[in-house]
Amino acid sequence: MRRIYNFSAGPAILPVSVLEEASKAVLELNGSGMSLLEVSHRGKDYDAIHAETMSRLLKTLGLSSEEYAVAFFGGGASLQFAILAMNYLAAGETADYIESGEWGVKAVQEARRVGNVNIAATSVDTKYDRIPKTLALSAPGVAKYVHITTNNTIEGTQYFDLPETNGAPLVADMSSDIFALARDYSRFDLIYAGAQKNAGPAGVTIAIIKRSFLEKAHKNVSPMLSYAVQVQKDSLYNTPPVFPIFVVNEVLKWIEEQGGVSAMEQRNREKAALIYDALDAFPNFYTPAAGDPADRSLMNITWRLADESLGKEFLAEAKAKEMDGLPGHRNVGGFRASIYNAFPREGCQALADLLRDFAQRKG
Ligand code: PMP
């Protein structure tokens, strides 16, 4: 099997052992004579996978099932932008949003369809090049929740210290850094994440909800969009995305084998440092996109070339060295190296070597 260094932002690289287990299960699940893609979602083989994935999710994040519940959705993180507001807001009610990137802006747009949004902080004035730190939160008791994006996939910034919320529940879009850091996950009342970056393939979105916050969800939401119904029905209200859930479980097993989220964080810090150090060694040649080095993402490293006319040449050289997926997001341009948990250290070293070599030759 040929493996290139795939720096794509998502869907993104998965561990080979996970791909192998998925391939086997697609051919035959547990000696059942059936493929994973053919078995009933209410049969015993799938049932075990479903329950195991839920409990492994909580265990990986250091959360207990007494305090937290898991729900699986379709529709991507983008659907969560809408249903979060449908479950927790109403006309005349307010939620606080910290806008640290383009995905956060989309979350705000959806919440505004349902209720009032107080932008507690934004870095729009500096093109979302940093995590905004000065907060204008609603008065205590006013905001139904405070929403953040823990990792800004497009801009390449990440939260390392979580914000205060004035007592309001903290909700996070963790699509691009769930399982990447040893955070205190019990600080969150609701976490959601599309699987296709750090957790598995596209097709399932993970929601992890504090039970005390679940009690506050509206009861009159369409069942498919309701956190309460999905939890009550164990995410088997209708047919769940069986294959992506199986792969998430395999990714979680892999994380466990590697030493859990603390080991992931340690590796992620080392991997990112290889690339940031190479960029910083040539400050007149490369400009990292994150304006405050303290906010630099460990997952999506973004930068520009001082001489943009060299961009095509850089990408061609990268391609010749088996590196792909490096152009920045279409809205911002520049370059982006996405190095989620499963991305190998050797690929980071290969990119760092190319960055240094290219700058020495062309700078
Ligand atoms: N939030 C973040 C932080 C993202 O990176 C993305 C996808 N790139 C989304 C939300 C949207 O996710 P989806 O495509 O699953 O709707």
Side-chain angles (χ1 to χ4, degrees):
M1 187 171 67
R2 178 169 163 254
R3 297 288 281 168
I4 64 159
Y5 294 129
N6 174 9
F7 287 95
S8 173
I13 198 165
L14 287 165
V16 172
S17 62
V18 169
L19 298 178
E20 282 167 351
E21 289 308 314
S23 312
K24 280 189 225 156
V26 163
L27 291 174
E28 187 184 3
L29 185 65
N30 298 344
S32 64
M34 290 180 282
S35 161
L36 166 65
L37 308 183
E38 299 169 328
V39 296
S40 165
H41 61 291
R42 300 194 192 275
K44 74 169 175 21
D45 284 315
Y46 177 69
D47 202 44
I49 293 162
H50 194 84
E52 200 177 297
T53 312
M54 286 187 175
S55 61
R56 231 184 260 284
L57 266 166
L58 293 178
K59 192 171 152 227
T60 302
L61 300 177
L63 301 173
S64 77
S65 59
E66 286 79 44
E67 225 191 328
Y68 283 86
V70 176
F72 297 126
F73 288 87
S78 300
L79 184 68
Q80 300 295 309
F81 297 162
I83 71 173
L84 170 66
M86 290 176 189
N87 278 265
Y88 286 101
L89 276 184
E93 293 179 345
T94 300
D96 285 0
Y97 277 70
I98 301 179
E99 235 181 35
S100 55
E102 285 193 31
W103 290 112
V105 172
K106 292 225 162 74
V108 167
Q109 285 165 354
E110 292 308 308
R112 284 206 165 118
R113 292 179 201 276
V114 184
N116 301 331
V117 169
N118 168 45
I119 303 291
T122 176
S123 46
V124 64
D125 290 346
T126 51
K127 296 192 176 150
Y128 303 114
D129 74 333
R130 65 196 61 215
I131 302 292
K133 312 258 167 29
T134 311
L135 306 184
L137 295 164
S138 293
V142 171
K144 298 290 170 192
Y145 58 86
V146 174
H147 180 278
I148 63 171
T149 313
T150 49
N151 184 74
N152 297 284
T153 324
I154 296 176
E155 296 82 3
T157 62
Q158 191 168 15
Y159 264 97
F160 295 99
D161 297 317
L162 297 175
E164 291 308 318
T165 64
N166 254 352
L170 180 61
V171 173
D173 174 359
M174 232 178 251
S175 294
S176 51
D177 73 347
I178 191 166
F179 314 136
L181 298 183
R183 295 186 187 281
D184 177 3
Y185 290 92
S186 72
R187 285 277 309 275
F188 298 92
D189 289 80
L190 195 156
I191 294 166
Y192 62 87
Q196 68 271 21
K197 295 161 199 305
N198 231 357
V204 67
T205 306
I206 298 159
I208 296 162
I209 315 147
K210 207 177 241 179
R211 293 188 187 274
S212 56
F213 190 49
L214 197 57
E215 281 166 20
K216 296 186 195 151
H218 297 319
K219 302 290 177 275
N220 58 345
V221 180
S222 269
M224 284 300 292
L225 309 178
S226 161
Y227 290 117
V229 172
Q230 291 300 340
V231 168
Q232 192 206 344
K233 298 286 182 190
D234 270 331
S235 296
L236 286 162
Y237 177 86
N238 75 330
T239 320
V242 166
F243 179 71
I245 291 171
F246 175 92
V247 181
V248 169
N249 192 29
E250 293 304 317
V251 168
L252 290 167
K253 285 187 203 167
W254 176 82
I255 292 174
E256 220 168 276
E257 283 160 19
Q258 306 293 308
V261 286
S262 358
M264 289 292 121
E265 172 166 349
Q266 172 75 24
R267 271 177 41 161
N268 289 332
R269 286 190 182 280
E270 289 166 11
K271 280 156 51 183
L274 289 172
I275 301 172
Y276 283 120
D277 286 351
L279 293 169
D280 287 341
F282 301 92
N284 300 323
F285 196 77
Y286 299 116
T287 315
D292 184 344
D295 299 336
R296 286 174 169 183
S297 171
L298 304 182
M299 301 278 93
N300 311 98
I301 300 182
T302 50
W303 73 95
R304 296 188 164 279
L305 277 166
D307 177 357
E308 294 199 347
S309 71
L310 292 172
K312 279 209 175 96
E313 220 175 315
F314 177 78
L315 289 175
E317 290 198 20
K319 191 132 202 159
K321 293 188 170 348
E322 305 269 77
M323 292 181 243
D324 202 5
L326 287 167
H329 187 274
R330 60 192 178 282
N331 292 358
V332 297
F335 302 88
R336 171 173 59 177
S338 298
I339 51 168
Y340 303 116
N341 284 350
F343 192 91
R345 187 191 168 92
E346 308 83 75
C348 298
Q349 186 64 59
L351 176 59
D353 291 346
L354 175 65
L355 285 165
R356 288 177 190 276
D357 181 49
F358 192 77
Q360 266 153 10
R361 278 184 287 118
K362 310 282 175 182

